[in-house]
Amino acid sequence: KAGEKVQITALMPINFLFYRLENSEAYANIAGTNLGGFAKNSKIYAGEAGNSTGLYMQNCELHVKKVGDALVYGAKNSKIYAGEARDYTGCNMKGCELHVRKTGKELGLGATKSKIYAEEAGKHAGNNMVGCELHVRKTGNRLGSGATNSRIYADEAGRGAGMDIEDCELHVKKTTDWLGSRAKNSRI
């Protein structure tokens, strides 16, 4: 029920925990796929979770230490805090704030009007994002490719950072190769 606090201690991962949770606060030590999927106006905490955690959640706050692929895919207006995530973290999210220590490839792919902070990300971080701000300490190749109207900051990036960006700012302290190939109306 709305306003209730839920705490689950599981011996093995349970899929779809807190699915469609609304106006509540929930805790789980370990969860399977789809933890908090389609949740609204809730706070969710987990030690470990599987793929698609936070799928399409809205106006939520999510804290997870270790998680699988597609963390918060399609989420809206939410705050996300993750320790370690696999690939496709923050894809297609809108109006979110994402903090992740370490993640794989495609961080923030297609994100819109979001702020993303990462210590370490794989290749293709920030690709095709629109109106976003991305801060990453270390990332792989093709940082921000195809991004529009965004600000991208990296301490260290692989080759091809800023490829095909448009109306963006790209700030990279160290790179292994060229920056901003085919960039349009951008500051590098």
Side-chain angles (χ1 to χ4, degrees), residues 16-171:
F16 294 93
L17 274 178
F18 316 134
Y19 188 78
R20 295 196 182 273
L21 182 73
E22 286 192 40
N23 305 307
S24 296
E25 191 170 315
Y27 302 82
N29 64 327
I30 187 168
T33 62
N34 263 303
L35 170 72
F38 295 91
K40 291 182 181 178
N41 307 312
S42 296
K43 288 185 179 182
I44 300 171
Y45 301 85
E48 286 188 40
N51 296 339
S52 301
T53 292
L55 179 73
Y56 292 108
M57 68 181 191
Q58 292 182 19
N59 303 311
C60 288
E61 187 173 311
L62 174 66
H63 297 261
V64 64
K65 292 178 184 173
K66 188 173 181 180
V67 66
D69 290 334
L71 171 64
V72 296
Y73 182 96
K76 290 183 182 176
N77 305 316
S78 296
K79 288 188 177 183
I80 303 100
Y81 303 90
E84 189 174 326
R86 289 199 318 232
D87 300 332
Y88 311 108
T89 298
C91 289
N92 296 321
M93 65 183 182
K94 294 172 179 66
C96 292
E97 184 176 317
L98 170 64
H99 299 263
V100 61
R101 188 180 52 77
K102 183 178 180 181
T103 188
K105 66 183 177 183
E106 308 286 353
L107 168 66
L109 173 69
T112 306
K113 296 180 182 176
S114 296
K115 290 185 179 183
I116 304 167
Y117 303 89
E119 293 289 321
E120 186 177 338
K123 63 185 178 179
H124 303 270
N127 281 9
N128 300 315
M129 63 184 184
V130 178
C132 291
E133 190 172 311
L134 171 62
H135 298 262
V136 61
R137 287 191 189 230
K138 183 178 180 182
T139 187
N141 297 339
R142 302 252 173 123
L143 168 68
S145 291
T148 55
N149 196 30
S150 296
R151 293 190 311 243
I152 304 163
Y153 303 88
D155 288 345
E156 187 177 336
R159 67 179 200 274
M163 185 175 182
D164 295 317
I165 60 174
E166 188 170 346
D167 299 316
C168 290
E169 283 185 35
L170 176 65
H171 304 270

